[in-house]
Amino acid sequence: MISKPLSGPAAIAALPRDRMIAEFSLWSADLANFESDLRRIEPYVDLHHVDVADGHFAPSFLFFPDRVARIARLTAKPIHVHLMVDADIVEAQTRQFIEAGADMISVHAENGEAGLRAVRLARELGAEAGVVLRLETPVQTVAPFVPEVAFVTLLGTAIGVKGQGLSDEACDRLGAARAILRKAGREDAVVLAADGGIRHETVPRLRAAGAETVVLGSLAFGDKDLAGRIGWLHGLKVAA
């Protein structure tokens, strides 16, 4: 078992803000050689991203608490669990994944009041909280969550389906989210993230639009020169 120097809110607060955060989606790992993939990315990853889907809110079944518990024993890096689940189970899932070792739980703004309760529960249980927004949902929907979260993640593709192209609206939506954070006085406290449609040609656009992290899937796991890929990521700048 690997000991973690920081966990929960402290681990999330320690993420770099002077460059892009390297957030790796474990959905793109080789599940048959999972531990080998974790060892390969450990020197480069800032934050592990674990998608959870219930087959209702999102059209997939993805990752379970026992998988997160196993990941937590194999890495010193923080674990971000993205709950793509219905409102009636979001609080129970929040508790289960924190008990398994998640450092941060992100719930969907579409979960409404149940999502807000899950955010508060995550913090009560010693983890950090974030909020995610589906592509078709108005950006203003995140506003009630902004005072209580450390991450705001905007999806740039339809939820829970791999291999889609980035929506033309994605960059403008990041700008709208940034304006909401600025109005709330939370721009420096909240990480703005982009998830979905992450490609070599789209990451610079998302970064220029204000993304502080993008959720890297095949762009990272499929790159034989991972050090070069992460060096490229770190060098991208927000537009002036």
Side-chain angles (χ1 to χ4, degrees), residues 139-143 146 175-186:
V139 177
Q140 187 62 34
T141 310
V142 303
V146 164
R178 176 66 69 193
I180 291 169
L181 293 176
R182 188 177 300 118
K183 183 177 180 180
R186 296 277 290 159

Side-chain angles (χ1 to χ4, degrees), residues 118-139:
V119 162
R120 292 162 189 157
L121 175 62
R123 299 176 71 184
E124 288 170 12
L125 295 175
E128 191 52 273
V131 64
V132 188
L133 198 66
R134 296 174 74 138
L135 179 60
E136 66 270 22
T137 303
V139 177

Side-chain angles (χ1 to χ4, degrees), residues 135 155-159 161-170 195-199 201-202 205-206:
L135 179 60
L155 301 187
T157 59
I159 194 168
V161 181
K162 278 188 176 183
Q164 301 175 79
L166 184 71
S167 168
D168 292 339
E169 300 174 13
D195 187 1
I198 306 304
R199 304 285 184 272
E201 65 275 13
T202 62
R205 290 166 48 202
L206 293 165

Side-chain angles (χ1 to χ4, degrees), residues 34 63-73 96-97 99-101:
F34 195 74
F63 293 125
F64 302 97
D66 59 349
R67 172 63 70 176
V68 168
R70 180 62 178 156
I71 295 165
R73 291 193 291 269
Q96 290 175 30
F97 279 96
E99 290 174 350

Side-chain angles (χ1 to χ4, degrees), residues 73-115:
R73 291 193 291 269
L74 296 170
T75 182
K77 303 300 176 66
I79 298 169
H80 175 195
V81 170
H82 169 200
L83 292 181
M84 296 181 283
V85 302
D86 282 342
D88 58 352
I89 63 170
V90 68
E91 291 167 85
Q93 291 277 280
T94 293
R95 181 179 294 276
Q96 290 175 30
F97 279 96
I98 290 171
E99 290 174 350
D103 296 284
M104 180 168 68
I105 302 288
S106 281
V107 305
H108 269 265
E110 294 86 359
N111 287 154
E113 288 297 323

